[in-house]
Amino acid sequence: MAKKRCLKVAFGMEDDEHLIDAHYGDSEFFAIYEVCEDGEVKLLEKRHNKAKDFKEEDEGHGDPRKFKAVVGQLLDVDVLAAFRMGPNFLRIRDKTNKVAFFTRTRDLKLALQRVVEGFDDLWEQVQAKKAEKPPIEE
């Protein structure tokens, strides 16, 4: 029997039930979930965002060093799920093997449901990204 397909998804969180309404890198923590093709969803961990207090000196928002600090905490994750993202969203899309997913909701339960509903498409995107890119480009 084939192993079921699962994705590791990191949601940028404000609290236990709401995605942050700010840049992904400013999340209080990342809720890391395993989401499987059969709709099974499991919270793996809540990972403190060590980059939250990163000082974006010269660059303002979208500092490439903050981008590396954020993604560096999530190298084991396939999908970065956010209500919205700042300028580093393009770096995530273009310079990592991560797939960025806009939830269009701040409600965590609804966001998880949207990942489940879009599972096949997300799975294809993740496989394509992994085939073409290292986890993070310099």
Side-chain angles (χ1 to χ4, degrees):
M1 187 171 133
K3 186 172 177 276
K4 73 176 169 183
R5 300 176 307 166
C6 296
L7 293 169
K8 246 177 133 172
V9 183
F11 293 87
M13 302 300 294
E14 175 180 292
D15 59 35
D16 286 344
E17 295 171 10
H18 300 97
L19 281 70
I20 193 163
D21 184 14
H23 296 170
Y24 195 73
D26 294 334
S27 300
E28 290 296 323
F29 63 92
F30 301 106
I32 314 289
Y33 279 84
E34 181 180 68
V35 179
C36 299
E37 62 186 327
D38 60 4
E40 185 185 331
V41 170
K42 181 167 69 183
L43 176 64
L44 299 177
E45 67 176 294
K46 289 179 187 173
R47 192 173 296 173
H48 175 68
N49 178 12
K50 296 191 276 287
K52 181 180 186 310
D53 300 320
F54 189 98
K55 295 286 175 262
E56 297 179 273
E57 313 270 313
D58 324 329
E59 307 274 340
H61 281 296
D63 186 322
R65 293 166 307 171
K66 183 168 185 179
F67 153 74
K68 287 197 172 123
V70 171
V71 176
Q73 305 174 78
L74 301 170
L75 292 176
D76 59 324
V77 170
D78 302 308
V79 178
L80 307 183
F83 172 63
R84 66 188 177 105
M85 287 193 186
N88 274 326
F89 167 71
L90 294 173
R91 283 195 188 92
I92 291 166
R93 187 191 68 192
D94 297 341
K95 296 191 177 292
T96 74
N97 69 357
K98 310 292 170 220
V99 171
F101 178 74
F102 289 107
T103 62
R104 295 190 180 82
T105 179
R106 292 187 60 216
D107 181 286
L108 178 60
K109 289 186 182 79
L110 191 53
L112 279 161
Q113 186 183 327
R114 289 186 177 163
V115 171
V116 169
E117 287 165 2
F119 184 90
D120 288 334
D121 185 46
L122 283 168
W123 178 265
E124 295 304 322
Q125 289 180 54
V126 166
Q127 300 318 305
K129 285 277 228 169
K130 286 184 173 176
E132 72 186 28
K133 291 203 183 305
I136 185 168
E137 284 179 6
E138 287 306 315

